[in-house]
Amino acid sequence: MHSTFSRISNISSFLSTCLMALLVAVAVSSLFLTADPKGKVDIVSLKVYNAKAKRYPFKEQEFGFVKFDIDADLQSLFNWNTKQLFVYLEAEYSNVQGVNNTIVLWDRIVRRKEDAHVTVSSGRNKYKFKELSESFRNAPSAEFSLKYNVMPYVGLLTYGEAARTEAHEIPETRDAIA
């Protein structure tokens, strides 16, 4: 007949096939769940300062500083297959050469449905807002958007947008920061 090793191998392959079929069913079923999160982003202030770059002490570069308010209810994104959310504020603008730039200014990881009502008042950018060509000159405006990434237990990552602002004019450079 069959040896003990061959019976254990058959049983384990059958169980792993059943587990994979179950995981595929979970991933496919979560694709049909729809959510429409709503949020609001207000840009309180946007200032541009001239400062020296750390790597090149004799070279000056412009840095943007943003103060913002966020109020977003993302609880509808949580379901039985949601592990966590990655929420981030993004700035989009075009530079002098006509290249579209997208920069992440702030982010947060939301792990529980109870924490999915994101409220930030007088928040500041967590990451540098700078132009690679050293100057924001002739960059007419920037749009800010609150985006999210749903990370499931099983299945594909899904991306979306909860809020977007109108275009804000990028101001002229202020005095250098010491």
Side-chain angles (χ1 to χ4, degrees), residues 41-58:
V41 176
D42 291 323
I43 302 303
V44 177
S45 70
L46 172 59
K47 298 175 183 174
V48 177
Y49 291 98
N50 212 4
K52 293 186 180 189
K54 283 186 177 181
R55 291 189 180 187
Y56 306 103
F58 301 109

Side-chain angles (χ1 to χ4, degrees), residues 19-33:
L19 180 65
M20 287 298 165
L22 179 65
L23 293 177
V24 167
V26 167
V28 169
S29 68
S30 65
L31 289 176
F32 300 111
L33 298 174

Side-chain angles (χ1 to χ4, degrees), residues 1-4 6-7:
M1 294 229 61
H2 296 288
S3 68
T4 306
S6 123
R7 289 181 184 183

Side-chain angles (χ1 to χ4, degrees), residues 2 18 31 35 37 49 52 67 72 88 90 97 100 112 119 123 132 141 145 151 158 161:
H2 296 288
C18 291
L31 289 176
Y49 291 98
K52 293 186 180 189
K67 282 180 97 176
Y88 54 100
E90 210 174 57
Q97 292 86 10
N100 291 330
R112 299 182 315 155
T119 305
L132 292 177
S141 62
S145 57
M151 298 177 190
T158 54
E161 185 174 297

Side-chain angles (χ1 to χ4, degrees), residues 59-72:
K59 192 176 189 181
E60 289 193 352
Q61 190 169 14
E62 291 183 352
F63 291 92
F65 294 92
V66 182
K67 282 180 97 176
F68 55 87
D69 294 333
I70 295 176
D71 186 20

Side-chain angles (χ1 to χ4, degrees), residues 113-178:
K113 185 174 184 176
E114 294 81 25
D115 301 332
H117 188 91
V118 178
T119 305
V120 177
S121 60
S122 297
R124 297 173 188 241
N125 48 321
K126 196 176 187 181
Y127 306 109
K128 290 181 183 176
F129 183 26
K130 66 179 182 176
E131 170 59 33
L132 292 177
S133 67
E134 300 171 8
S135 176
F136 284 107
R137 279 185 222 114
N138 298 328
S141 62
E143 288 185 357
F144 297 89
S145 57
L146 182 68
K147 296 188 176 185
Y148 60 86
N149 178 0
V150 179
M151 298 177 190
Y153 287 107
V154 177
L156 301 173
L157 299 175
T158 54
Y159 297 87
E161 185 174 297
R164 179 175 282 277
T165 65
E166 295 178 6
H168 287 282
E169 185 177 326
I170 297 178
E172 292 293 319
T173 306
R174 294 188 177 209
D175 294 334
I177 298 175

